[in-house]
Amino acid sequence: MSSKTVSKALSILDVFTPDRPAWGLRDIARELEISHTIVHRLLKTFEEEGYIFQNPETHKYELGIKFIQLSNTVEERLRISDLINPIMKNISVETGESVVFTVIDNEEGLFVKIVESEHQVRFAESVGKRGPLYIGASHKVILAHLPDEVQDKIINQGFLDHAPQLVSKKSLLETLEFIRQQGWFYTAGETLNDAAAISVPVFDPKKNVLGSISVAGPSYRFTKEQAEKVLPVINKYIDKIDDIFSKVFFPSRRDYLLKNIT
Amino acid sequence: MSSKTVSKALSILDVFTPDRPAWGLRDIARELEISHTIVHRLLKTFEEEGYIFQNPETHKYELGIKFIQLSNTVEERLRISDLINPIMKNISVETGESVVFTVIDNEEGLFVKIVESEHQVRFAESVGKRGPLYIGASHKVILAHLPDEVQDKIINQGFLDHAPQLVSKKSLLETLEFIRQQGWFYTAGETLNDAAAISVPVFDPKKNVLGSISVAGPSYRFTKEQAEKVLPVINKYIDKIDDIFSKVFFPSRRDYLLKNIT
DNA sequence: CCTTTTGGTTCGATAATAGAACCAATATTC
DNA sequence: GAATATTGGTTCTATTATCGAACCAAAAGG
């Protein structure tokens, strides 16, 4: 049994996003349908512990720098700065484009690390951004390598609502099959309007997908032909990356996801 | 009144550090002197929400990638990637050394952002690291500009215990006075054995210290003479940095600290 | 000037938490 | 390899912290 109070408290953290980083007390209460009294107590608790602060001028609440600290502990554990980052930098230098490390977390993809290319406008702020697994090469490549049951679950849950604007379920499943065959995938303008990317899956020792490595650039320049040229560079390093995760436990809700299906 | 359950829960997060990122259930219970039953329930709650995961092989618990996501929300709010980072990069390119942005949080200094110089072995993993304000140029420069009462409190609390290995309180106070006069400070081998740094304070619109900007390099090369050469470069940009924080609320326990004194 | 909304507080009924006592399964010790 | 200690995990009730309606004063909004 888990703690209801703490669950409620943690649900508060989720309302803070880059798009909406500052919230009024009563706004949070309405959003989560919790009494504002409770939200108030929880916010004050977070504040005491350094996790959330109230802007004295606007009276709104915001996440605190404590998360920068904790995030670092996670990144160190994942060996991002010392092992993954150097490889990503190599790929970036050799291809001249930006490199993105994406990870699966609870039916969504999460950008965990981005190495920007030297000669390029930086991407819209994206580390820490979450999104559904059926949009963008970095995410589709992950979805393609998940077990069928998980794919079904994910597609049936969120995908069908957005289907009209996108493609049919059948066509998506065909794409996923194609990705599995090919081992990589290229998309343009899916995650960001004017960006294109080529992605390759990353596996753990048990051959389960855990994320993907992408090389991305502006659509006008980074065409499919261009993208295919960088493929050998990615492939040169992909085994090393897989190798890192044969030694590092991966702290995401992936196992959770896999377990709840089988 | 704040929530006891949530306070307890949050205190668990603090045990996870880069030095000790994985903990057994009962280890945490002992460390925090909480019944292991409670720790277990709280850990499971964190796990459900994606904040903590149990390594299935070692059975130990670790922080999850959710913190990478939340950390990004904070960094965006602080305008780190889009405003601070470019300035730090400029300083790094023009000096050829690494640049560190340090921030005050609850009587401690916290490394919030590090831009590594191209031609250098990277620093020991340090973003997210906390430390007492009386060690290292980046931290001392902050301490020097805090109100006297706060200085006293901080020095009397932690400093005197370490005093034997360090300097006398009197000599520290003289150093702080000197820093205030000079406006910058250089140290070698304090935070890291073989690293040296020169630091300049960063202020908010009300002229309260909020952090510092440092240029750092390996001790053997980054002598005091070398350091003084980079000073003009830092000073060239320091107003811009102060300016950023005239528009951005700073979510740390600094106000808390200042308020509890006066 | 009146109304609405804001962040914040009080307090008794109630529902969630605490933790001793209990597993089974590994490690550790001898 | 039998005995012991320690691990993560669970159960259950007395207790206690949480919940939330009703309540502020202050600031926006009309």
Side-chain angles (χ1 to χ4, degrees), chain B residues 3-5 24-26 30 36 40 54 61:
Chain B
S3 164
K4 295 208 169 157
T5 311
L25 166 60
R26 252 136 158 140
R30 261 189 299 271
H36 77 280
H40 181 256
Q54 186 176 29
Y61 291 89

Side-chain angles (χ1 to χ4, degrees), chain A residues 44-191:
Chain A
K44 286 305 165 196
T45 310
F46 278 125
E47 195 167 28
E48 272 178 21
E49 305 290 328
Y51 291 84
I52 287 183
F53 292 95
Q54 186 177 29
N55 186 325
E57 285 176 17
T58 63
H59 295 282
K60 297 199 181 238
Y61 290 88
E62 306 181 11
L63 296 185
I65 54 173
K66 186 100 185 189
F67 288 103
I68 296 180
Q69 178 195 332
L70 292 170
S71 173
N72 182 253
T73 305
V74 179
E75 290 191 26
E76 302 252 310
R77 263 283 320 173
L78 282 179
R79 314 297 299 268
I80 298 219
S81 353
D82 63 340
L83 297 182
I84 310 279
N85 195 44
I87 296 178
M88 291 176 71
K89 260 193 179 145
N90 284 349
I91 298 177
S92 174
V93 168
E94 291 177 33
T95 62
E97 302 288 355
S98 297
V99 181
V100 182
F101 178 39
T102 310
V103 140
I104 177 176
D105 185 43
N106 205 25
E107 311 186 12
E108 290 184 310
L110 178 69
F111 295 136
V112 159
K113 183 80 193 179
I114 298 181
V115 172
E116 317 257 355
S117 74
E118 288 295 322
H119 58 281
Q120 192 205 309
V121 195
R122 65 183 291 274
F123 278 114
E125 18 73 31
S126 339
V127 176
K129 275 264 164 78
R130 301 179 151 274
L133 286 173
Y134 41 79
I135 297 176
S138 57
H139 289 47
K140 279 182 176 164
V141 141
I142 296 175
L143 184 58
H145 290 85
L146 286 171
D148 291 346
E149 307 95 314
V150 184
Q151 279 185 20
D152 263 6
K153 193 186 167 198
I154 292 174
I155 294 172
N156 290 331
Q157 273 182 6
F159 175 70
L160 293 177
D161 304 339
H162 306 96
Q165 324 151 31
L166 300 164
V167 290
S168 71
K169 181 178 172 180
K170 183 162 164 280
S171 139
L172 175 66
L173 287 175
E174 282 168 8
T175 305
L176 296 181
E177 171 59 26
F178 174 72
I179 294 174
R180 243 170 297 147
Q181 300 277 329
Q182 187 176 241
W184 56 269
F185 199 55
Y186 168 87
T187 60
E190 287 198 13
T191 306

Side-chain angles (χ1 to χ4, degrees), chain A residues 4-5 24-26 36 61:
Chain A
K4 296 211 168 155
T5 311
L25 166 59
R26 253 140 157 135
H36 76 280
Y61 290 88

Side-chain angles (χ1 to χ4, degrees), chain B residues 101-141:
Chain B
F101 178 39
T102 310
V103 141
I104 176 176
D105 185 43
N106 205 23
E107 312 188 12
E108 290 184 310
L110 178 69
F111 295 137
V112 159
K113 182 83 194 176
I114 297 181
V115 172
E116 315 256 357
S117 74
E118 289 295 322
H119 57 282
Q120 195 205 306
V121 196
R122 65 181 292 272
F123 276 116
E125 20 70 37
S126 338
V127 176
K129 275 264 165 79
R130 301 177 153 276
L133 286 172
Y134 41 81
I135 296 176
S138 58
H139 289 46
K140 279 182 177 165
V141 142

